[in-house]
Amino acid sequence: MDAKVWMYLAYLTVSIGLTVWVARALSRNGLVFLEDVFADKRLADAVNSLLVVGFYLLNLGYVTVAMKEADPVGDTSQALEQLSMKVGLVLLVLGALHFFNVFALGRYRRGRLRQQAAAHPPLAPVGYLPPQGGSRPVNPAGPTPAGPTPGQTPTAPPR
């Protein structure tokens, strides 16, 4: 076998090994993040599996398409240079896919948290504001616990 065939075999071995290793690491360690993003364990497991399948399809598809080398490989040093270029591109694609996924899931999580915060007011109301302009009526008995009675002007709680 010539140097080009050995380069192809080394490229496939390294690229597939890296893809499997990265996919397993991201799947195992990313599950906690996905559970926080979706707030549902079953949904996080399902999305995690779908992300792993998509990761394999995209990355192995890229590895396969990028395998062909048009230039002749004369010696071992040229084969190693071309191999390092191909493996480096695979690593850049792996990193880009990872950061895209983290970015997209982070945006989804922020949107979900924003919706949850909007559904609940940050503080419960504590009393009524006094009417603007004019004097405040004095209630000798103090404020009533249930709020003002009909016909009574609301007063601010004591400070």
Side-chain angles (χ1 to χ4, degrees):
M1 284 195 274
D2 65 342
K4 195 171 198 176
V5 173
W6 283 110
M7 183 190 76
Y8 285 155
L9 291 174
Y11 169 70
L12 287 173
T13 302
V14 170
S15 297
I16 291 171
L18 281 171
T19 300
V20 170
W21 175 70
V22 170
R24 286 185 179 173
L26 292 176
S27 172
R28 183 178 52 252
N29 298 320
L31 188 57
V32 174
F33 176 71
L34 289 174
E35 287 174 358
D36 183 49
V37 167
F38 294 111
D40 180 3
K41 184 163 176 36
R42 281 187 52 215
L43 181 61
D45 287 336
V47 170
N48 196 27
S49 296
L50 292 172
L51 284 173
V52 168
V53 168
F55 182 82
Y56 278 130
L57 290 173
L58 282 172
N59 199 62
L60 293 176
Y62 175 77
V63 165
T64 307
V65 168
M67 186 171 86
K68 182 170 174 37
E69 181 60 47
D71 297 333
V73 177
D75 59 357
T76 308
S77 66
Q78 276 185 329
L80 286 175
E81 288 171 2
Q82 290 175 351
L83 176 65
S84 70
M85 179 64 95
K86 288 183 175 300
V87 170
L89 288 173
V90 167
L91 292 173
L92 288 173
V93 168
L94 283 169
L97 285 172
H98 171 65
F99 281 115
F100 173 75
N101 283 338
V102 169
F103 175 75
L105 291 168
R107 284 186 55 102
Y108 176 83
R109 179 179 176 265
R110 278 192 300 275
R112 183 181 58 79
L113 292 176
R114 218 176 284 126
Q115 281 180 340
Q116 285 178 349
H120 305 291
L123 296 173
V126 292
Y128 297 97
L129 293 174
Q132 297 297 321
S135 62
R136 204 167 69 181
V138 178
N139 185 356
T144 56
T149 58
Q152 182 184 14
T153 305
T155 58
R159 292 183 193 232

